[in-house]
Amino acid sequence: MLGNFTYSNPTKLYFGKEALDGLNKELPKYGKNVLLVYGGGSIKKNGIYDKVVAILKANGKNIFEDSGVMPNPTSDKLNEGCERARTAKADLILAVGGGSVCDYAKAVSVSAHCGEDPWEKYYIRFEDVDENTKIIPVGCVLTMVGTGSEMNGGSVITNHAQKLKIGHVFGDNVFPKFSVLNPEFTYTLPKYQMIAGIYDIMSHILEQYFSGEDDNTSDYVMEGLLRSLIHSAEIAVVNPTDYEARSNIMWIATWALNTFVAKGKTTDWEVHMLGQAVGAHTDATHGMTLSAVSMPYYRYILPYGLKKFARYAVNVWRVNPQGKTDEEVAHEGLNAMEAWMKKIGLVMNLTELGANEQMLDGIVKSTLVMEGGYKVLTQDEIYTILKQSL
Ligand code: NZQ
Ligand code: ZN
């Protein structure tokens, strides 16, 4: 482990079937005005909304609502949310939903009082929150698993006019103060979303794993997380109400992207940059944009990180290396990964997500190039990978 780092994580987690009771412990810490943020209505259908509102009322809160947060929340919606937060004089933003709702809540939290266009400030100029800007605290009740937004500072916003989908990773003063993780709250997720979330988790782990050459404890932790994920995903796709599998998946998601396994790693994130560019042009489901580009990407960079790909094949996919070259082992690992992806029902090409060859130049332009992985891609290489992903 050769990197230098500091580590802290301020988010308090309540996990399990009774996790929502944690709200009774947290709410008294904040003022009366709560901005309740949620998405398109799933929480009204599955009863989570009623449960949360009852607890807010029992704690004497004034409830202001900001609903209709769409998957891949937009800069227009963010501006609307800032207005609502100011009108409500919000003391706490309570996000009830998936990564989109939680990301959006964090964006409103730092933007409502920033005094300028938040898209320009945080997503184009990548500025930090000014010292004097009031950050409204955020709490989260998670209903969709995958992003890790419940325990990190990530906040991804899409600007359709500019065809950009960009994530800003804020500091730990923007992390949710607390998150409620009840695996049963995810049971009503459509299967497509559940599977997309599972792959989002896998991609988060892989994009940290496939970087660096040193012997790093984080890599061993990630191999364990991956094996648990592969195992539990196979159970959950057959039986979505298997509590043990769904709870493991929820916990892996949190640890995959709460900054812990990134320690001492340079980290890659190019698959996310490709996926986000696709998302900016198609508005497709986040996890599926990642699965659609992953196999062409990993096969392309394999020669540049050969030793790590061979290790991945053996330690995660249990490929027997005897009598084989590193290259053969590494490819066998990726083949096993591809077979598993197909088995659980992931989208394996961009065409299915609404992309076509005419869109590729635009998607290339929207793709940020990262430098922490095994290969820094050129524009031509990005085009090639996207074309192979169609
Ligand atoms: O809007 P509602 O009605 O709630 O429906 C949602 C939405 O349609 C539905 N859903 C959520 N929980 C449900 C449910 N339906 C039934 N029962 C439930 N219990 O699922 C759909 C997708 O929800 P969404 O929040 O969009 O999914 P996800 O959690 O995958 O979040 C995606 C967003 O997070 C960003 C993505 O880019 C995307 O914008 N990310 C955030 C990251 C972070 N904060 O660090 C990192 C990730 O890599 C990712 O980029
Ligand atoms: Zn992701």
Side-chain angles (χ1 to χ4, degrees):
M1 185 116 177
L2 301 179
N4 303 316
F5 54 84
T6 52
Y7 177 75
S8 78
N9 193 310
T11 304
K12 184 161 184 173
L13 299 179
Y14 294 88
F15 192 97
K17 292 183 184 180
E18 310 302 327
L20 195 61
D21 291 347
L23 278 187
N24 289 310
K25 293 203 182 85
E26 295 300 323
L27 291 175
K29 297 178 187 168
Y30 303 93
K32 287 233 168 251
N33 299 331
V34 175
L35 186 67
L36 177 61
V37 175
Y38 57 97
S42 68
I43 63 164
K44 289 205 165 161
K45 285 193 206 120
N46 60 23
I48 296 173
Y49 173 89
D50 288 341
K51 287 181 188 152
V52 169
V53 166
I55 296 174
L56 286 169
K57 284 186 178 159
N59 281 272
K61 301 295 181 185
N62 304 322
I63 305 170
F64 299 84
E65 296 205 9
D66 182 6
S67 63
V69 179
M70 60 293 281
N72 311 319
T74 64
S75 47
D76 289 343
K77 177 67 185 165
L78 170 58
N79 292 333
E80 189 191 307
C82 291
E83 185 63 42
R84 279 176 194 264
R86 286 192 295 266
T87 309
K89 296 193 169 53
D91 298 308
L92 174 72
I93 301 175
L94 187 61
V96 185
S100 293
V101 172
C102 197
D103 276 20
Y104 168 85
K106 284 181 245 177
V108 172
S109 139
V110 295
S111 303
H113 301 291
C114 81
E116 56 180 306
D117 178 356
W119 171 257
E120 284 293 325
K121 180 177 174 61
Y122 297 121
Y123 296 92
I124 297 297
R125 300 201 305 270
F126 276 101
E127 286 174 17
D128 281 332
V129 188
D130 295 334
E131 260 175 44
N132 301 324
T133 297
K134 181 183 166 198
I135 299 173
I136 307 171
V138 170
C140 168
V141 176
L142 197 67
T143 67
M144 151 100 199
V145 167
T147 64
S149 190
E150 66 275 15
M151 203 184 190
N152 71 33
S155 173
V156 183
I157 296 293
T158 298
N159 184 316
H160 286 301
Q162 296 179 15
K163 293 245 180 285
L164 289 173
K165 180 177 185 187
I166 294 183
H168 187 125
V169 180
F170 292 98
D172 59 9
N173 49 352
V174 186
F175 282 41
K177 300 292 175 222
F178 60 88
S179 284
V180 168
L181 307 181
N182 180 343
E184 288 181 335
F185 285 4
T186 68
Y187 283 178
T188 53
L189 265 178
K191 205 165 191 175
Y192 187 86
Q193 292 294 340
M194 179 187 77
I195 298 166
I198 288 169
Y199 192 73
D200 193 19
I201 305 168
M202 177 171 268
S203 193
H204 293 159
I205 302 172
L206 293 181
E207 294 188 63
Q208 298 170 91
Y209 182 77
F210 286 122
S211 69
E213 316 260 317
D214 56 334
D215 184 33
N216 189 323
T217 300
S218 296
D219 289 329
Y220 297 79
V221 174
M222 287 190 271
E223 286 163 356
L225 291 174
L226 284 166
R227 285 175 54 201
S228 179
L229 179 67
I230 291 161
H231 174 74
S232 292
E234 286 179 8
I235 297 168
V237 289
V238 177
N239 181 9
T241 56
D242 186 301
Y243 183 82
E244 201 172 41
R246 295 303 288 267
S247 66
N248 281 327
I249 294 169
M250 192 171 221
W251 195 224
I252 300 163
T254 302
W255 283 94
L257 202 56
N258 69 358
T259 78
F260 172 65
V261 296
K263 294 306 157 195
K265 305 283 305 175
T266 53
T267 71
D268 181 351
W269 296 118
E270 196 56 50
V271 171
H272 265 66
M273 295 307 107
L274 290 161
Q276 282 175 205
V278 170
H281 288 256
T282 61
D283 210 24
T285 297
H286 172 64
M288 297 307 189
T289 65
L290 308 173
S291 60
V293 299
S294 279
M295 293 321 301
Y297 176 72
Y298 286 124
R299 290 198 170 108
Y300 189 81
I301 67 159
L302 181 148
Y304 305 93
L306 184 58
K307 285 250 169 295
K308 196 58 168 289
F309 278 94
R311 171 177 166 170
Y312 171 62
V314 173
N315 291 356
V316 176
W317 296 102
R318 296 299 188 224
V319 170
N320 179 356
Q322 262 189 348
K324 297 171 195 159
T325 64
D326 275 355
E327 208 176 358
E328 284 166 346
V329 173
H331 277 291
E332 217 179 292
L334 288 188
N335 292 343
M337 174 180 166
E338 185 175 32
W340 176 85
M341 289 170 76
K342 287 180 178 162
K343 184 170 155 194
I344 68 165
L346 286 159
V347 173
M348 301 300 286
N349 64 75
L350 291 176
T351 310
E352 211 176 301
L353 299 177
N356 57 45
E357 201 162 348
Q358 289 70 45
M359 293 162 77
L360 290 189
D361 283 331
I363 299 176
V364 172
K365 278 203 194 89
S366 304
T367 305
L368 304 184
V369 176
M370 307 304 278
E371 299 190 343
Y374 291 127
K375 173 79 178 80
V376 180
L377 298 181
T378 64
Q379 303 285 298
D380 286 348
E381 288 171 326
I382 292 173
Y383 187 93
T384 304
I385 289 164
L386 288 169
K387 189 150 185 229
Q388 285 170 358
S389 306
L390 280 175

